[in-house]
Amino acid sequence: MTPSPISLSSSGTTYAAAISGPHHCSLFDTTTATATSFNLRLCGLRREAFAFTTLRHRSKHNHPIHRTHFSAISAALSDNDTAPKSFDYDLLIIGAGVGGHGAALHAVEKGLKTAIVEGDVVGGTCVNRGCVPSKALLAVSGRMRELRNHHHLKSLGLQVSNAGYDRQAVADHANNLASKIRGNLTSSMKALGVDILTGFGTILGPQKVKVGSSNNVVTAKDIIIATGSVPFVPKGIEVDGKTVITSDHALKLETVPDWIAIVGSGYIGLEFSDVYTALGSEVTFVEALDQLMPGFDPEISKLAQRVLINPRNIDYHTGVFASKITPARDGKPVMIELIDAKTKEQKDTLEVDAALIATGRAPFTQGLGLENIDVATQRGFVPVDERMRVIDANGNLVPHLYCIGDANGKMMLAHAASSQGISVVEQVTGRDHVLNHLSIPAACFTHPEISMVGLTEPQAREKGEKEGFDVSVAKTSFKANTKALAENEAEGLAKLIYRPDNGEILGVHIFGLHAADLIHEASNAIALGTRIQDIKFAVHAHPTLSEVLDELFKSAQVKA
Ligand SMILES: Cc1cc2nc3c(=O)[nH]c(=O)nc-3n(C[C@H](O)[C@H](O)[C@H](O)COP(=O)(O)OP(=O)(O)OC[C@H]3O[C@@H](n4cnc5c(N)ncnc54)[C@H](O)[C@@H]3O)c2cc1C
Ligand SMILES: NC(=O)c1ccc[n+]([C@@H]2O[C@H](COP(=O)([O-])OP(=O)(O)OC[C@H]3O[C@@H](n4cnc5c(N)ncnc54)[C@H](O)[C@@H]3O)[C@@H](O)[C@H]2O)c1
């Protein structure tokens, strides 16, 4: 590296700072003619990055280095960047969402002295603004849907004259459930002796975290980042929290708009379409890709469209981006400008009462101090390897630092976050563990539900082609299942994607009543490496929905 001297002045004192090579940095006070030279190599790689980043940034923008900066740098070099010799905790977790909570509980079980840092409220997204309140709303929408389906009720011999709802009471149900689960999470950690440290966590250096704005620095042998995510709002969309909202606002159910556009037909969009249509709204989907629900197995998306979209008060625009959204104001409705996703040409303008932005989530990693340990995020996500170990800007593993959950972007699901946390605790307590993400199930809690584990059919075929194996597909219908027929809810399909040569389960997709509960037989089989030729002899109680999967495994044609 070429020497890069920088001349800086402040308050009558001139400093010269020189980055003199990959391993040296010097600061020279021209008034006292004293120089301090740092051998960065002795300080370690991450220290080097700290000094270089700070000095380069200041010189590039022609900012003066003040004495305080000088002391901050030298303090950082002599203090924060040195790994502590003893630790306050064995494990420190930044973020008390479900990921952090899962890790903390397992850590205590393993005998680790554990603390968790939370800058907001315990429970994170899932408990306060995600899974929990959304499932409370979906429990209501499921019942409303049933109570208003006279044809369905009549076929069961039931008569219900007038089904209605109280919006505030529904909202309270969601809010109360979140409070209850938040309380449960907090008590479970306190009861087990996890220290809950309130304040925003900033990584200062290896094994060192500052909590809150005070000088409360906590050290730990191992650190887990579990800072989660926030709603992602594309450029051009103005969220006012009233008429243009994200899931954070929608879960409060402050209104039930007559007509709401839902931008994005992924998990959030689909679940909220179930809620809103059950409560009487008309929904218009705006989806950038060419089909609705593009993340699911295509056959399941098609069936879901036939059952969850077409018969409901829903229309849709696919292959278009919402390029600009303006909230309702001055008597004007919410305006949504649509452009063609490929050509970017203006296509249409929608005028609706409200718009829900459900276009994905962005990692919450700002202010975490990753630059202090030379970690560069990728689109905000913390780069990790398959063991959730954090990777620095040079591609090296950062010792004793892990990242789990939404912040690493591997799989934005609550149970994925906590299972990654458990996996990390296994590693730091001496047992190597690699989580098989292909065994992690996912579910969308519409009525009926959608669930899946492993690969979709196109993904499996692509893998088969690359690796040289055949892929087969088996399917069973809920229409042949006694329990589903008794419930008069027989619209559904289970699909198995597998290797006919050795019976390996590559993926299972279910659309139908209680699909979210049914998927676990398949996900456990994948996790444990159980083959179809073995699981097909497992016995299922009759009459249960689980027989849909029993039939599925029995119908597969394995050559082995
Ligand atoms: C509407 C909605 C519905 C969902 N439904 C489901 C579902 O049914 N099933 C499912 O599996 N998933 C669901 N998800 C996804 C699920 O909520 C997330 O995958 C999960 O919450 C991720 O957990 P996490 O621990 O990684 O992060 P989070 O739950 O986001 O928790 C992170 C925590 O870290 C804190 N924090 C952040 N930075 C700092 C810092 N520097 N210092 C201190 N604290 C910090 C935050 O305040 C937060 O409490 C849903 C999401 C949404 C939005
Ligand atoms: N039941 C569950 O497990 C559950 C429920 C809700 C959320 N989640 C998690 O939360 C995360 C976020 O959910 P989500 O539904 O917001 O994201 P998603 O990634 O599932 O879907 C986003 C959709 O928005 C579309 N899109 C993006 N930008 C657009 C634009 N400008 N105009 C039109 N369409 C656009 C994308 O093509 C995609 O189909 C997911 O990763 C999911 O794992 C899970």
Side-chain angles (χ1 to χ4, degrees), residues 95 99 118-119 124-126 131 135 200-201 227-228 364 405-406 412-415:
E118 176 53 57
T125 305
C126 178
C131 335
K135 265 76 258 179
F200 194 81
T227 52
F364 185 32
D406 283 10
M412 291 177 126
L413 294 171
H415 46 282

Side-chain angles (χ1 to χ4, degrees), residues 303-470:
L303 177 59
Q305 168 138 0
R306 188 159 66 70
V307 180
L308 301 177
I309 307 288
N310 297 349
R312 296 185 180 174
N313 212 357
I314 300 178
D315 72 347
Y316 54 87
H317 300 260
T318 52
V320 289
F321 275 118
S323 60
K324 187 171 180 210
I325 303 188
T326 321
R329 59 169 80 103
D330 307 329
K332 288 195 191 129
V334 172
M335 310 281 273
I336 305 180
E337 286 178 23
L338 302 181
I339 57 167
D340 187 287
K342 291 188 188 102
T343 63
K344 306 286 181 274
E345 273 167 27
Q346 182 81 29
K347 288 266 296 206
D348 213 344
T349 302
L350 302 178
E351 294 185 3
V352 288
D353 298 319
L356 167 65
I357 313 307
T359 48
R361 300 199 39 101
F364 185 32
T365 49
Q366 272 169 2
L368 193 51
L370 291 169
E371 64 285 359
N372 296 338
I373 43 164
D374 196 22
V375 171
T377 58
Q378 293 166 1
R379 291 179 299 115
F381 291 105
V382 178
V384 292
D385 72 353
E386 75 286 0
R387 289 178 174 79
M388 312 305 137
R389 295 178 294 193
V390 174
I391 300 169
D392 75 12
N394 300 311
N396 301 316
L397 293 175
V398 181
H400 305 288
L401 186 66
Y402 302 81
C403 176
I404 62 168
D406 283 10
N408 72 29
K410 273 186 184 280
M411 213 174 194
M412 291 177 126
L413 294 171
H415 46 282
S418 60
S419 56
Q420 289 172 358
I422 290 167
S423 176
V424 168
V425 171
E426 285 292 295
Q427 293 169 58
V428 302
T429 52
R431 187 176 156 247
D432 189 28
H433 188 265
V434 178
L435 183 65
N436 176 6
H437 282 78
L438 285 175
S439 74
I440 299 180
C444 191
F445 294 82
T446 44
H447 296 90
E449 295 169 343
I450 308 171
S451 64
M452 69 225 73
V453 63
L455 304 175
T456 61
E457 188 178 339
Q459 286 168 341
R461 296 211 180 277
E462 194 185 324
K463 185 172 157 83
E465 245 165 58
K466 252 190 221 149
E467 296 178 17
F469 60 79
D470 285 341

